[in-house]
Amino acid sequence: MEIAQTEIFTVTPDGRDKILVLKIGAPQKRNEDEWMCYWEISGLHENVHATVSNDKWHSLMLVIRTIEQLLTYYVEDGGRLYWEKSGEEIAVSDLIPRWAS
């Protein structure tokens, strides 16, 4: 079951327009000791992936941090992110915010 999906517009490092579709599934019990959470970034990593942990919450947090890191690598390689096709460029932290304590 999918719990979240969003589309972001990008310009690839070589200047092409591209849409990325980010999807996160609900954590599911894998076996007695493990939980897994499915995720996908269509347009960047075409396969559906699963992150596994010993805790439902942790499996979801691992997915969010994995997506954050992959998008960070994409931007570091020269990709640019946008909420709208002709909008202002956004940072990964606009998509996955972090608050200071």
Side-chain angles (χ1 to χ4, degrees):
M1 177 177 88
E2 186 178 295
I3 60 170
Q5 175 178 323
T6 193
E7 288 185 358
I8 55 173
F9 296 88
T10 73
V11 175
T12 64
D14 63 0
R16 293 178 292 119
D17 289 347
K18 183 184 262 192
I19 295 174
L20 301 183
V21 180
L22 286 61
K23 298 178 185 178
I24 298 176
Q28 302 172 28
K29 193 88 166 148
R30 182 176 182 192
N31 57 44
E32 188 176 309
D33 299 320
E34 295 178 317
W35 287 83
M36 65 182 174
C37 191
Y38 290 102
W39 61 274
E40 179 181 4
I41 305 175
S42 297
L44 190 59
H45 293 275
E46 296 306 322
N47 297 323
V48 175
H49 303 273
T51 301
V52 179
S53 180
N54 63 342
D55 178 86
K56 186 177 188 178
W57 172 266
H58 192 239
S59 67
L60 179 59
M61 293 301 102
L62 286 174
V63 165
I64 292 169
R65 295 298 170 230
T66 299
I67 291 171
E68 176 184 39
Q69 192 60 56
L70 291 171
L71 291 175
T72 297
Y73 292 148
Y74 180 76
V75 170
E76 287 173 351
D77 288 343
R80 296 187 312 252
L81 308 175
Y82 304 86
W83 285 121
E84 300 172 343
K85 185 171 179 146
S86 299
E88 291 186 34
E89 187 172 354
I90 62 170
V92 174
S93 61
D94 294 322
L95 185 63
I96 303 173
R98 290 191 177 210
W99 291 274
S101 53

